[in-house]
Each structure stands twice: as C-alpha cells, then as structure tokens.
Amino acid sequence: MVDVPLAHLDRPFDYLVPEPLDAAVVAGSRVRVRFAGRLVDGYVLERRDSSEHDGRLAFLERAVGDEPVLTAETTRLFRAVADRYAGSFVDVVRLGVPARHAGAESVTTPQLPPPEQPATTEWDRYHAGPAFLAAVGAARPARAVWSARPGEDWTHRYAEAMRAALAAGRGAVAVVPDLRDLARLDTALHDVLGPGRHLALSADLGPAERYRRWLAVRRGVVRAVIGTRMAAYAPVADVGLLAIWDDGDDLYAEPRAPYPHARDVLVLRSSLTGAALLVGGYARTAESALLVESQWAHEIAADRDAIRAASPHMVATGDEIEQERDPVARAARLPSLAFRAAREALASGRAVLVQVPRRGYVPSLACARDRTPARCRNCGGPLAATSGHAIATCRWCGRPAGDWACPACGERRLRAVVVGSARTAEELGRAFPGVPIRTSSGDSVLAEVPPDAAVVVATPGAEPTVEGGYGAALLLDGWALLGRADLRAGEEALRRWLNAAALVAADGRVVVAADAGVPAVQALIRWDARGNAVRELADRQELGFPPAVRMASVSGPASAVAETLAATVLPEPSEVIGPVPESEGRQRALIRVPRARGADLAAALKTAAASRSARKAADPVKIMLDPLELF
C-alpha cells in the first residue's frame, strides 16, 4: 500500500524486491517506493513469487528500518476500519502506527513473566462479574457492558480484568478518554500488576518515547497496553481483552479522516480476533444498549440495593416539593436548595463540587414555557433562528417552522438556550466568604484536591477527585445541557452528571438544577443509566436515528456535495436529508440507511469519492460515517 491518501489509489500495488533488500523486506515492513514520479512511503502487505500485473514492475527503492510495523492482525483491523468508515487504509495506519524514530529501535526492554490470578476480586460484587473474569482467564470471547456502582474504583476493576488476561498468557488493551484517566489507570495497574508489565500510549509522549513504547508492544515484550484513543490499534500479540471506559465521551471520536470512534474500533477488533470486550462506565450509551439488546454483549450490573446503599442522596431543584419551598427555584441558577446543601457540606469540613457546562454550545431553541427542545416536524432536526425576529428553520432540512407548537404544552413561543458560566467562581466567592474557591477547567485541570472545606468549580470532565468523596455536588445549568441542539443531549447530560455524582460520598448530597420530570434527571436520581439507555435506544429506533440506523454526512462546497450525491449509487432503502447550508458557500447532507446496509453505504460513498479523486476534482468533500454530531 502506497502512502498516498487518494480514494482511487486505496489498493495494493506490486513492486519488485532488489536482491540486496530480500532479507530486510518482509510483510509489515516500511519501504520507500517511486510512485507517479516521486518517492513515497509504502507498507508491505505480503511477499509473493509472482505478480498478476502484465506490465513492467518497478523496484523498491529502499527499506525503512529493520522493524516491521504491521502485523497480520493489525493489517486486517486497519482494512476493516477503513471500509467501515469509507476511508483509506493509509489514513487508518497513520492513526495507529507512530512515526519512526531510529534511535528508539536500539532500545530493549526486559520481558517479565505473567502475573498470578487471585481466587477472588472485587468483581464478585456484580452479577456476571466473576463469570466474565473467568471467561477472560479461559480465553473465551466474552463481551460485556458494565454499569459501575456509585463511587466504584473503576481503575482497579479494569486492572483486575487485565491481570486475568495476562495470567492466561494473553494480551490486554484498555482505552480511556483523556490523560487524567490514563494517569489514574496507570497507577492502578502498578498496584495490581507491579512495575514493568504494562505501558501507556498517548499523543503527549515525545516522538522517541512514543515509538519506543510502541515497539516494545510490537515485539511482544509488553502484553498490556493502556492509552487514549490511539491505543485501540496497539499491536498487542494474541490480545485476549479489549476494554474501554466511558465510551460516550466525545474525545473518542477521531477528528482526522476517516473519523472512526474508538468504541467501534474495539468492537471490530473483538469480532476479528475473538478477544473479550469490556465496555464500562457510570453512564451507558445507546450504542452500548444496542450491543446488549442484540445479545452480542451481556450486562454486568450490581443489585439495586447495593446501588442505593452506595449512592448519595440526589434531588432536582425542579421537583414539586422544592418548588413549594422556593417558588423561583425553577428559574434560579443557584436556588436555595443548592445553597443549603453547600453550606451543610462546608460546615462539616468537606469539599463541595460545582459542575458548570463549558462555554460555546451551539445556540438552539426551546419552548419558552417548559424548555422542551424545538424540533422539526418533517425530519426531527433541531430548529434555529439567525436573529430574534427571524422565523425558526430546521438545521437539517432547511424548512421553516413558523407554525411550531410545543408537543408537551402547546406553547408557540420559543426561547434561546444559552450558557452563562463565566462568573460562577466569582459569584460563589461572594456567596461563601472566607471559603477557598478552586477552579478546574481548560488548561488548568486539577487531578485531585485536599479533603478540606472548599468549593471546587469544574467543567464536565475536569472534576478533580477528593479523598473520601465530596460532601455535596451542585450540577448547575441543567437546561443548558438538556437543551443543546444535539441528538445525544439527554444522554450526554446524564453521563456528565453521573461522572460528577460518582465523586460524592455515599452520605453526601447531589443537587441538579433541572426539572425532576425530565427522563435524564429521573435516571440520575434513581442511578439508572441502563434504563435511560434502553429508553434512548427505543426512541431512536422509532425516529430512525443512530445507532438504530447507519448515517453518513457529506459536507463541502455546494457544487461538490451535489456532485458526490449524484455519483453515489445508494443502497435501498435509503433517505437523503438536505442538503442544507452549513456555512457560507458550504452545504451538508445526511444519508440514512438501515443498519444492515451500512457497509453498502460506506462502499457506495467510497466509490463516489474514488471517482472524484480519479478525475482530480478541485473541491474536497468531507465524508463521515456515523458522525457524533448530526446537527
């Protein structure tokens, strides 16, 4: 495969191997070849005695390094990911194989014997937990979706599962969203496995260190790998366990072509290799619920009694009792209930967590009375308005919605859903004079804070841990999360709330600033991520949204989008939504097909892209399969 990321060149090419390079060029090697008059990189897929090409063959120019970078297993994985996402093989290789650093190839790492598996683990507290660990230890392809209990030390549970795979003589890969989670899992693996039995891979490593660690895995010296999304492709020999934590985090969506999601990469890899798969989290996505519903995976969960015992007391400011006590609680950003919970926790000498949404959400519209998100009657897309006097239009199909009425209450007035969290820390400082105010967001993320009386203001995903748990958590601006113009708004809000609530002690209190009647809020109060995911999946199946269907996004200059759609022979049945304006001069169209026709859709779009590439079309088109953001 030549490293030329053009769709019509995504196929193998035959070259002759000069005799001096015979020993150095093997399957998986990096090489340099002359292609279209210039030297480019290439990857050797296999060696053959003859070629089916009738014309004259060129010779390889040289071998690059002595280390093969592809294995038979990763080659199949790269091809499968490229085909699923209508991408090119070499684009996926760039995601999974780091750049070569010659100095790192001379470094050797000692190999340690596999660890022993203890008779019991903390997985015994979960239904099907011991059975899953036994299957991993017996090298069976068990696949599970795990709902962690409140306050669960998930890092040690993952470390125990990886130890089971290593004890059976097999490899293990665990993927986490960010560097903070990676550091916590790294510490847990040191505790459970001891030093030297695992490696962490992430993009923040320097090129030499990253390549050195990757080579240790490729050589089979280290059999356990943890990391951010790039670790999903780690060339672990005889992998027995693949795991991902909190698969709903948007950091798992690759921003580079062909835009794969780490969870789906691991699902593909589990199918190709027969390795066990563990998808865990405090929350659960509709995609994970589909894995269970289809019986491709099984569920690991704790008893409801155990969940209630470990869960902090949770209440919404919009419930009927609180509205009677505080009539303005529904409209207030920090109602009296939240103040009471914070004061009580601070008085007992414990820290208080205040979660505020990030800035920069896409403006959206909702019912002015009950804030039900406004959606198009035609296609279900979100409504938006360019100004306060403009008629609301659908951001999907572009149709005006001047006659919109709220399906819940009949109200016709709309309001913009906005986020205003810049002054939260300053406001809390005035509300609690003399109490330390700590912030964790952006480039200043705190890993942990002391177990002292303090207010910690954090954005979702940046909440620091505290020994013994927080005394209270205030989840502010609930409507800003729930009212986002996003298919996953409710699911994402619940995920962020559960991740924050999991940091609160069992005798603490969680206050969410949202209406108690909203399904996501009810799921938080009951700690019922499973039920919410099942409901989300059922809603999307009824409305024809992912993951119940496969969807593709085609975006670019208007003429290029129209050309691509015209050249695509879509499978039947299929539906094209749009195109609609995306920005000045650019449009976006969505294509929807049943899940069973997803591979046909990807192949059709790849063929259309190859046709445009071969004709050297000037305007690029961005093709995304299963985009995380549909609106």
Side-chain angles (χ1 to χ4, degrees):
M1 299 293 290
V2 293
D3 194 354
V4 180
L6 296 175
H8 70 289
L9 300 179
D10 186 32
R11 59 183 179 85
F13 292 87
D14 290 351
Y15 284 83
L16 294 172
V17 180
E19 187 172 353
L21 298 181
D22 182 55
V25 176
V26 298
S29 296
R30 276 188 176 121
V31 293
R32 294 281 283 176
V33 299
R34 192 163 295 278
F35 190 86
R38 61 191 182 94
L39 282 175
V40 299
D41 291 328
Y43 300 93
V44 178
L45 299 183
E46 60 178 319
R47 292 284 303 269
R48 291 181 177 176
D49 295 331
S50 61
S51 171
E52 297 176 358
H53 181 65
D54 295 332
R56 182 179 178 183
L57 294 180
F59 281 92
L60 298 178
E61 294 290 328
R62 63 185 178 90
V64 180
D66 299 327
E67 298 277 349
V69 294
L70 303 183
T71 67
E73 192 248 300
T74 57
T75 298
R76 291 195 304 273
L77 177 63
F78 293 152
R79 183 72 269 167
V81 172
D83 291 344
R84 176 181 173 83
Y85 287 95
S88 299
F89 179 89
V90 292
D91 280 338
V92 185
V93 172
R94 286 196 191 98
L95 304 179
V97 178
R100 179 175 179 257
H101 195 281
E105 294 182 346
S106 61
V107 179
T108 59
T109 305
Q111 186 172 7
L112 298 177
E116 295 183 359
Q117 177 68 358
T120 61
T121 69
E122 294 297 318
W123 283 99
D124 294 344
R125 298 184 299 176
Y126 292 87
H127 289 302
F132 176 77
L133 237 60
V136 172
R140 296 198 303 271
R143 289 140 184 170
V145 175
W146 172 45
S147 294
R149 302 191 321 167
E152 177 65 82
D153 183 3
W154 65 268
T155 59
H156 277 77
R157 301 299 80 75
Y158 270 50
E160 290 166 356
M162 296 178 76
R163 178 175 58 189
L166 296 182
R170 305 191 72 189
V173 175
V175 184
V176 296
D178 53 37
L179 296 179
R180 215 165 51 109
D181 288 330
L182 183 60
R184 294 177 60 194
L185 183 55
D186 184 57
T187 301
L189 281 167
H190 274 290
D191 294 341
V192 174
L193 300 181
R197 285 197 173 95
H198 78 280
L199 286 176
L201 295 177
S202 63
D204 72 315
L205 299 172
E209 180 61 17
R210 180 181 176 188
Y211 189 57
R212 183 191 69 78
R213 296 188 184 190
W214 185 88
L215 278 181
V217 178
R218 171 66 183 85
R219 292 166 177 171
V221 175
V222 178
R223 305 288 296 279
V225 175
I226 60 174
T228 49
R229 59 177 179 261
M230 64 162 291
Y233 307 95
V236 174
D238 190 21
V239 62
L241 174 66
L242 302 166
I244 184 170
W245 171 257
D246 196 16
D247 66 299
D249 197 305
D250 57 8
L251 291 176
Y252 285 127
E254 177 60 55
R256 295 172 292 177
Y259 317 106
H261 193 284
R263 176 195 54 245
D264 296 335
V265 172
L266 293 181
V267 168
L268 275 175
R269 190 169 183 179
S270 175
S271 297
L272 292 171
T273 63
L277 177 69
L278 178 62
V279 180
Y282 296 115
R284 185 178 297 189
T285 61
E287 286 79 7
S288 298
L290 182 62
L291 296 179
V292 175
E293 183 185 87
S294 64
Q295 298 186 355
W296 191 84
H298 297 281
E299 185 178 54
I300 298 177
D303 287 327
R304 290 302 305 174
D305 290 342
I307 292 175
R308 282 192 289 268
S311 175
H313 176 65
M314 289 187 272
V315 63
T317 59
D319 69 14
E320 295 180 357
I321 297 176
E322 286 304 320
Q323 286 186 24
E324 290 180 3
R325 290 179 179 173
D326 185 0
V328 299
R330 184 186 179 99
R333 184 157 184 252
L334 194 63
S336 60
L337 172 63
F339 272 114
R340 292 200 306 270
R343 278 199 301 265
E344 290 172 5
L346 293 171
S348 64
R350 304 168 79 178
V352 174
L353 174 64
V354 180
Q355 185 194 69
V356 290
R358 291 188 177 97
R359 295 177 178 273
Y361 286 120
V362 177
S364 59
L365 297 177
C367 172
R369 180 183 298 172
D370 62 11
R371 307 192 194 190
T372 298
R375 300 196 182 279
C376 175
R377 293 178 179 176
N378 177 57
C379 68
L383 300 185
T386 56
S387 70
H389 304 288
I391 296 176
T393 57
C394 177
R395 295 178 60 197
W396 274 24
C397 65
R399 295 192 181 189
D403 61 344
W404 181 88
C406 177
C409 68
E411 175 64 54
R412 293 186 174 275
R413 292 176 300 133
L414 292 165
R415 62 173 291 167
V417 178
V418 296
V419 175
S421 58
R423 299 176 58 190
T424 300
E426 180 183 345
E427 293 171 356
L428 290 171
R430 290 196 298 265
F432 301 105
V435 176
I437 307 295
R438 300 184 173 94
T439 59
S440 179
S441 64
D443 296 330
S444 303
V445 176
L446 304 176
E448 58 182 343
V449 293
D452 304 324
V455 175
V456 180
V457 181
T459 53
E463 302 93 343
T465 60
V466 60
E467 184 180 351
Y470 287 94
L474 315 181
L475 311 178
L476 302 186
D477 300 327
W479 282 111
L481 289 175
L482 294 168
R484 292 173 59 197
D486 193 313
L487 173 67
R488 297 173 171 81
E491 178 183 278
E492 177 66 6
L494 178 60
R495 186 187 72 83
R496 295 181 176 189
W497 291 339
L498 288 174
N499 286 347
L503 302 176
V504 180
D507 60 346
R509 179 180 292 186
V510 175
V511 179
V512 56
D515 191 334
V518 175
V521 179
Q522 281 294 306
L524 170 67
I525 294 172
R526 299 192 308 269
W527 198 278
D528 186 19
R530 174 191 175 278
N532 187 75
V534 170
R535 182 192 57 80
E536 281 275 348
L537 179 60
D539 288 346
R540 296 187 200 177
Q541 287 170 336
E542 182 178 354
L543 297 172
F545 286 154
V549 300
R550 292 290 304 278
M551 261 189 168
S553 165
V554 180
S555 59
S559 59
V561 171
E563 180 186 8
T564 301
L565 293 177
T568 305
V569 181
L570 294 174
E572 292 295 338
S574 62
E575 179 185 4
V576 178
I577 304 173
V580 295
E582 188 178 45
S583 60
E584 186 175 354
R586 294 179 63 85
Q587 290 186 340
R588 186 185 192 216
L590 295 173
I591 305 172
R592 175 162 50 192
V593 300
R595 282 195 67 84
R597 305 307 301 272
D600 297 331
L601 174 61
L605 289 170
K606 178 70 175 293
T607 300
S611 174
R612 296 189 74 250
S613 173
R615 290 186 286 104
K616 298 182 180 179
D619 295 325
V621 169
K622 182 178 181 180
I623 296 175
M624 297 181 68
L625 269 293
D626 301 325
L628 198 62
E629 294 185 356
L630 295 178
F631 305 152

